[in-house]
Each structure stands twice: as C-alpha cells, then as structure tokens.
Amino acid sequence: MAQSAVSATGTPEITPISAKAIAPWAVFFGILMLVLLYFVGAEQGATALISGEGVHEWVHDGRHLLGFPCH
C-alpha cells in the first residue's frame, strides 16, 4: 500500500527539506550564476578566456540590460 502525505484530517502535510539536501544544489547554482555573470560582465578584451568576438556578440544585449558597459 502506498503512503500518502495527506493527514487524517484531509489536509496535506508539508514536510521540511533539510539544509543538507539543499546545499549541493545551492552550490551548483551559485557556481553556475558566477560563470554566467563572468561571461556577461567580463568576457571581452584583455580578460577574455575565449578568443574572438563570438561570446561578446551573444551576450551583448544582456550586457546592456544589466548595465555593463561594452563600447
């Protein structure tokens, strides 16, 4: 028989999620956001990790939207 998350009164029970379960996902998304911030904010000119203007052109509008100068 399957267990249900509904109590005897008919209202659903909310089970808390532990910090140990959330921590790996928080670290993953934090690193992902830092990488995206680098590509939008700093990937051009002397600090470029990737040669050429391809990355700059792909993130150009996002750069202006977020207030990063690029010209």
Side-chain angles (χ1 to χ4, degrees), residues 37 40-42 44 56 59-71:
L37 182 64
V40 171
Q44 68 179 18
H56 175 83
V59 297
H60 186 90
D61 292 337
R63 191 170 279 177
H64 286 296
L65 180 68
L66 295 173
F68 288 101
C70 66
H71 302 254

Side-chain angles (χ1 to χ4, degrees), residues 1-64:
M1 180 178 241
Q3 293 182 354
S4 176
V6 178
S7 68
T9 61
T11 58
E13 294 180 10
I14 299 173
T15 56
I17 301 173
S18 69
K20 284 184 179 181
I22 293 175
W25 290 103
V27 170
F28 172 71
F29 283 112
I31 291 171
L32 183 64
M33 290 299 113
L34 287 174
V35 169
L36 289 173
L37 182 64
Y38 168 77
F39 278 111
V40 171
E43 178 64 25
Q44 68 179 18
T47 63
L49 295 176
I50 300 171
S51 63
E53 292 289 321
V55 173
H56 175 83
E57 294 303 322
W58 277 98
V59 297
H60 186 90
D61 292 337
R63 191 170 279 177
H64 286 296

